Amino acid sequence: MGEVADRSKVLQDRQDSQSRESNSKRERFSEIDFIKAIAIVVVVVIHSLSDTFFKERSSIESFLTDWTRFAVPWFLFAAGFLFVKSTDIPTSQLLYKSASRILPPYWICSAYWIATRLLFTDDRQSVGRIIKSLFFCETHGIYYFVFVICYLYVFGAMLRFASRSLVIGLWLLSLALYIATILTWPAMFFPTKSFGSMLRSPFIHTVPFLTGWVVSLWYTPIRRIIGSLPLSAASGLVIIDTALVLAIAPIDRDLHWRELLISVHVYLLLVFALHVSIASNIQWSFIRLLSEWSYGIYLTHIVFVEFCHRQFRYFEAFEMPGRILITATISTLITLAFLATLRAVLGKRSRLLIGA
């Protein structure tokens, strides 16, 4: 009888565990899907702008360059928010699932870029340099995000069951370090003025990740407050944010405090986007698809963006911002078609490239 009871208890525990994991998988936050969908579309716009980074830009292009700066912080906010919600999964399993979703697509896309350079350019990289570029996610400039999200997930794993007061303390510390980094860069934390080191800096990216974490801990009251904002307050956020970005545009880009104003823009717009999603209860299937495929779009869209850039070199008379809009639209649609084809042909194995 004791053995039967033990087996019954083991079976019940297993069923309870599976039920909790299933419930965790079913739990979705449509507002997080919404901000991820917007962010990935804006990422494509940013890279469609990229061939103007080293040219004299019009006022519209400068405005777009500043306005689109919210994309990566929003992704990190969403990552921190969702990471803390996965309490039903053991830490080792959570890290394994995260790594299996992030790393194989990155390796496959990196293999494409490494092969392209070896076959079609004079850049003959050594094996050691290739390994280094793979580890630090330097196989393409935009893949710095993979390096960032990996170390943030490891950091998050160490904090999963930390007290709320400790999380708040670390969030405030990260905010102080971010401000110090911006105001003193590169003197305080960087030996050289390396853009690559800045992009990978934990002092830059920990703030949005922990902001998402903190919001997740108190999300019920925060959601209620944001969702109940009157129309006048929500409209005021947009007006203030637009005025802020317009005021930032003519400021010298070498002035450090300019970055702090950009950060204010990032979070003002985030509050507005959350309000729109919560108040309107947006749950469109296309928004969810963009959210679920956002990582795959991030890794693959740059191929099509660069293709469009090459084509536009033959049409110099077709100036910005029209070509930015056309490049972003074409690149997004082709990327979605490409990922949908992979999903149809490969089935579940498409996860190796899409990441979802």
Side-chain angles (χ1 to χ4, degrees), residues 270-306:
L270 176 61
V271 172
F272 176 72
L274 289 173
H275 168 76
V276 170
S277 177
I278 295 168
S280 306
N281 194 28
I282 296 175
Q283 299 187 35
W284 303 337
S285 56
F286 184 65
I287 293 292
R288 179 169 175 171
L289 181 138
L290 286 174
S291 172
E292 291 179 344
W293 290 9
S294 58
Y295 185 57
I297 296 170
Y298 193 96
L299 291 176
T300 58
H301 78 278
I302 195 65
V303 176
F304 308 111
V305 168
E306 292 187 357

Side-chain angles (χ1 to χ4, degrees), residues 128-243:
R129 187 178 169 191
I130 290 174
I131 293 174
K132 175 180 174 291
S133 67
L134 280 170
F135 181 82
F136 289 104
C137 304
E138 298 171 340
T139 51
H140 194 285
I142 72 167
Y143 290 171
Y144 77 90
F145 177 81
V146 180
F147 185 79
V148 169
I149 201 65
C150 284
Y151 73 62
L152 286 176
Y153 276 168
V154 172
F155 175 62
M158 295 186 289
L159 285 181
R160 287 189 75 205
F161 303 106
S163 66
R164 294 189 174 196
S165 57
L166 176 59
V167 173
I168 286 289
L170 289 173
W171 175 63
L172 293 173
L173 176 62
S174 71
L175 186 59
L177 289 172
Y178 169 72
I179 294 172
T181 301
I182 293 300
L183 295 180
T184 63
W185 181 72
M188 186 172 179
F189 295 109
F190 299 96
T192 60
K193 216 170 187 178
S194 165
F195 187 59
S197 66
M198 190 70 166
L199 287 176
R200 290 165 175 77
S201 168
F203 303 116
I204 301 297
H205 300 297
T206 306
V207 173
F209 183 79
L210 285 181
T211 300
W213 192 298
V214 169
V215 168
S216 181
L217 292 176
W218 285 276
Y219 191 54
T220 299
I222 290 174
R223 187 182 192 277
R224 185 165 54 248
I225 293 169
I226 293 176
S228 61
L229 284 174
L231 180 60
S232 57
S235 302
L237 284 175
V238 176
I239 293 170
I240 293 170
D241 180 68
T242 304

